[in-house]
């Protein structure tokens, strides 16, 4: 039985906007791992009647249903995430989306085509973003502590996904067979 037959059950944690989606998709590109979102896992558990009591959060049932090997925690400063998540502005009539970082309008707050004012969706407003981040922190602190005690928590800190990724990649290389040795030499 080769090492490749072994399953690695890894959980990726990180606040909204911390780069979980990007890191997940890179992991599946470089390693023979499938991506299941916690939503899928929890729904699956609910269907089979193994879901945990609501007040306890997902850590306990996920851990009972799946022997978790490693928890990858993306630790990105709140200010950076807030900046990332509040950068989106929309022209409601056309649906045109601007991003202050990547594709800003020619004039701040004004649609390039019509000259009409841009709006921010409720979800993208600083006060909403701060509320979501605080809620995330409160809900996950006990989860992170739990995995820390079990010795499976690996935290990767940084402000840019491209700078965090090589560390995640190097860590996973020690755990998992790669899909394609030649292609995966450079992350």
């Amino acid at each position: 039985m080769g090492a490749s037959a072994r399953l690695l059950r890894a959980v990726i944690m990180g606040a909204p906007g911390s780069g979980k989606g990007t890191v997940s998709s890179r992991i599946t590109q470089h390693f023979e791992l499938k991506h299941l979102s916690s939503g899928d896992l929890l729904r699956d558990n609910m269907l089979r009647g193994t879901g945990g009591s609501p007040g306890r959060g997902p850590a306990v049932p996920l851990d009972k249903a799946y022997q978790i090997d490693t928890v990858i925690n993306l630790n990105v400063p709140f200010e950076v995430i807030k900046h990332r998540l509040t950068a989106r502005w929309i022209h409601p009539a056309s649906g045109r989306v601007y991003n202050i970082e990547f594709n800003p309008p020619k004039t701040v707050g004004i649609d390039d085509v019509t000259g009409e004012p841009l709006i921010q969706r409720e979800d993208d407003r600083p006060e909403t973003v701060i509320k979501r981040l605080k809620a995330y922190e409160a809900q996950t602190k006990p989860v992170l502590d739990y995995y820390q005690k079990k010795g499976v928590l690996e935290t990767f800190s940084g402000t840019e996904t491209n700078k965090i990724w090589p560390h995640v990649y190097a860590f996973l290389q020690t755990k998992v067979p790669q899909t394609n040795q030649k292609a995966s030499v450079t992350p």
Side-chain angles (χ1 to χ4, degrees):
M1 198 67 137
S4 61
R6 199 177 149 282
L7 262 175
L8 178 81
R9 294 201 173 91
V11 174
I12 299 176
M13 291 183 65
S18 63
K20 284 190 305 288
T22 307
V23 168
S24 298
S25 68
R26 286 186 191 180
I27 289 173
T28 53
Q29 274 166 25
H30 287 282
F31 298 96
E32 287 179 21
L33 294 171
K34 280 201 190 69
H35 177 233
L36 292 166
S37 77
S38 58
D40 299 338
L41 289 179
L42 293 174
R43 261 191 307 280
D44 193 39
N45 274 347
M46 292 306 165
L47 294 174
R48 286 185 289 132
T50 53
S53 57
R56 270 167 55 203
V60 184
L62 259 183
D63 196 67
K64 281 220 175 74
Y66 306 89
Q67 290 305 305
I68 304 295
D69 299 307
T70 189
V71 175
I72 293 167
N73 179 36
L74 304 179
N75 179 31
V76 179
F78 268 23
E79 275 310 305
V80 172
I81 294 177
K82 193 182 108 186
H83 194 68
R84 236 179 240 179
L85 294 180
T86 56
R88 190 169 36 183
W89 289 80
I90 289 163
H91 178 246
S94 68
R96 268 187 293 281
V97 177
Y98 295 90
N99 184 299
I100 304 306
E101 309 266 300
F102 311 115
N103 59 329
K106 292 186 180 80
T107 310
V108 176
I110 301 294
D111 179 53
D112 289 348
V113 181
T114 63
E116 293 166 354
L118 301 174
I119 61 148
Q120 237 182 352
R121 286 189 7 225
E122 184 66 44
D123 274 359
D124 301 328
R125 292 191 186 137
E127 53 280 17
T128 313
V129 167
I130 290 163
K131 223 178 263 159
R132 275 172 72 202
L133 292 173
K134 288 211 166 109
Y136 173 82
E137 199 173 51
Q139 286 159 7
T140 52
K141 174 107 180 66
V143 179
L144 292 172
D145 292 345
Y146 172 80
Y147 286 129
Q148 178 81 55
K149 280 193 192 84
K150 289 197 72 171
V152 294
L153 185 67
E154 289 287 332
T155 296
F156 299 89
S157 303
T159 55
E160 291 171 54
T161 306
N162 285 340
K163 298 225 170 97
I164 293 175
W165 167 245
H167 301 283
V168 174
Y169 179 79
F171 167 70
L172 282 173
Q173 270 187 313
T174 66
K175 302 255 178 208
V176 199
Q178 288 156 266
T179 47
N180 179 340
Q181 290 299 337
K182 278 191 211 74
S184 316
V185 176
T186 51

